[in-house]
Amino acid sequence: MSRLRIEHRTGYRYDNSVTLSYNEARMTPLTDSQQVVLESSLTVSPSSAVVSNYRDYWGTRVTAFDMQTAHDFLEVTSLTTVEVHRSQRIPAAEETADWDVLRSDPVLDDYADWLPQTRLSEPGEEVLRSVRGLTDGLPPHEAGHALMAWLKAEMQYVPGVTGVQSNAEEVWNHRKGVCQDLAHLGIGALRGLGIPARYVSGYLHPKPDAGIGEAVTGESHAWLEWWDGEWRSWDPTNAGPISDLHVSVARGRDYRDVSPLKGILSGGGRSELKVQVEVTRLA
């Protein structure tokens, strides 16, 4: 178990005045079976913003706000204390679904959101041929782990090679990328086999040996989940299951469903994005 305090600040400075903007922030962690949000707040500056809250189609907590007065900066600050208690268990063979179950009408219907490729997850025919050969004869649970081992062997974590709009096929061609790229490629490979898969955004405490009360500079993180009878969480960047140091914020088909801050505006000219994440272990 871990108890973490996460402060996430993100925002823009504009060259010219913005006269109007409509925005959505997905920066508040989830409460689910493996983590509990103890305290949370989200503030918007300038304070003239009109704020509302809702849960989107995927279950993510969304803060929506509009700014209808002139402003030359925008800052959103999320402060959350969350308790994480994950357990890792190797399932028995009879506890996992076989291919007949994954291809059955009820599963195809229940997991219809997580099976089609998206523009960002489409891995290309070369990847699909490779993973089909790699997993031939394996049941879905073993196929998922074989894909994760393949991803670890084939890909390098290298910032600066890709961008937020890079899709899985482009990432594969580079054989390099960051956490969201590795997640998109893994998701595309899983979906290519007919295994439901989804994108998860959140935070990872980057320093496991940090002392209690020590504030550490962190960043947003991404990983994936696949379904083979139940959902399995995996962090391709760190080549292992997620831990008590991972905090989930949002799930979706790909990054576009879960981006921390997005919106539309009138005016502004050029802008500068600033992001700061600080993680403190409390227990």
Side-chain angles (χ1 to χ4, degrees), residues 8-255:
H8 180 178
R9 296 178 181 269
T10 188
Y12 293 91
R13 292 230 168 242
Y14 306 106
D15 285 351
N16 302 316
S17 179
V18 173
T19 57
L20 177 68
S21 69
Y22 297 91
N23 310 274
E24 290 183 344
R26 288 167 171 81
M27 295 165 56
T28 304
L30 301 165
T31 289
D32 58 27
S33 61
Q34 299 187 70
Q35 64 180 43
V36 177
V37 174
L38 303 178
E39 295 180 289
S40 69
S41 65
L42 190 145
T43 57
V44 179
S45 295
S47 59
S48 57
V50 178
V51 180
S52 62
N53 297 278
Y54 71 97
R55 286 188 182 268
D56 68 13
Y57 176 79
W58 315 105
T60 302
R61 298 173 65 179
V62 182
T63 300
F65 58 96
D66 59 88
M67 312 272 290
Q68 301 194 33
T69 57
H71 54 284
D72 58 10
F73 79 97
L74 170 66
E75 182 174 84
V76 181
T77 302
S78 172
L79 183 61
T80 306
T81 301
V82 58
E83 197 167 89
V84 187
H85 41 87
R86 306 191 188 279
S87 61
Q88 300 297 333
R89 183 180 64 86
I90 299 175
E94 60 271 16
E95 296 177 303
T96 62
D98 60 22
W99 291 111
D100 287 340
V101 171
L102 261 65
R103 293 164 183 155
S104 67
D105 288 340
V107 168
L108 293 175
D109 184 58
D110 289 346
Y111 296 91
D113 289 326
W114 313 116
L115 284 164
Q117 300 288 8
T118 68
R119 190 184 67 78
L120 293 182
S121 75
E122 177 57 61
E125 191 55 39
E126 182 181 350
V127 168
L128 295 179
R129 283 197 305 268
S130 297
V131 300
R132 286 167 189 154
L134 175 72
T135 60
D136 186 38
L138 297 178
H141 181 72
E142 293 180 24
H145 282 281
L147 284 182
M148 296 305 103
W150 165 84
L151 197 61
K152 177 184 178 182
E154 295 289 343
M155 298 296 298
Q156 291 180 281
Y157 181 90
V158 180
V161 177
T162 57
V164 294
Q165 299 302 322
S166 298
N167 71 2
E169 186 171 14
E170 297 170 42
V171 171
W172 172 250
N173 291 336
H174 290 298
R175 301 298 198 277
K176 299 173 183 177
V178 293
C179 58
Q180 75 177 40
D181 301 314
L182 302 180
H184 283 144
L185 181 56
I187 288 167
L190 289 159
R191 289 175 180 166
L193 295 177
I195 299 175
R198 61 192 183 189
Y199 185 102
V200 187
S201 70
Y203 306 103
L204 172 62
H205 192 305
K207 189 178 177 183
D209 59 349
I212 301 298
E214 179 183 351
V216 176
T217 299
E219 58 186 15
S220 296
H221 194 52
W223 56 95
L224 61 83
E225 295 176 340
W226 79 81
W227 190 88
D228 58 22
E230 61 182 71
W231 286 106
R232 318 287 176 190
S233 300
W234 194 267
D235 182 347
T237 302
N238 293 290
I242 67 172
S243 69
D244 287 350
L245 298 180
H246 289 75
V247 175
S248 304
V249 172
R251 294 180 175 92
R253 295 162 297 181
D254 60 29
Y255 172 79

